[in-house]
Amino acid sequence: YVADNNNNTKGGARKLWRFDLRRDGTVDKKSQKLVFDWETSRGPDGLKEDATGRLYVAGGLKGRNEYESPDKYRGGVYVLTPEGKLERFVEIPVDEVTNVAFGGKDGKTLYVTAGGTLWSLAVGR
């Protein structure tokens, strides 16, 4: 997966792509598939995949700036199927949602960095 974003740029990329890997570990560029497009909002940043293949993606925008709008995709964690269907959205009340990581005793806590703060969410991995 590649978080392709050109945030703070008018008309920049704000997409999540998936690529297949060859047996030798190199990327098959012809396999490129669009997973999700944040359109005119802030694009994806950090992401993690759970054991079932769901993607937890930090992205979106809380406030408006001259380049991006929160009208369609607000700042938070986007839970996507591997095909890119939005299963769940968890809004984070501060801007610049930047990364996610699984942790906790049972690995069922999602830690989220945003706006210089750390959040935790219980997830049913």
Side-chain angles (χ1 to χ4, degrees), residues 56-125:
Y56 293 75
V57 186
L61 185 69
K62 184 93 174 139
R64 182 177 304 277
N65 65 39
E66 64 183 289
Y67 308 107
E68 299 147 335
S69 162
D71 293 342
K72 191 165 183 181
Y73 298 109
R74 299 178 317 276
V77 177
Y78 292 78
V79 182
L80 306 170
T81 67
E83 296 77 31
K85 179 180 177 242
L86 181 62
E87 280 191 348
R88 184 175 166 206
F89 171 72
V90 180
E91 188 164 0
I92 301 294
V94 296
D95 219 348
E96 298 280 332
V97 183
T98 54
N99 216 333
V100 293
F102 289 108
K105 291 180 189 175
D106 57 5
K108 293 183 179 179
T109 301
L110 185 71
Y111 293 97
V112 182
T113 57
T117 61
L118 179 65
W119 302 80
S120 65
L121 308 167
V123 293
R125 289 178 30 167

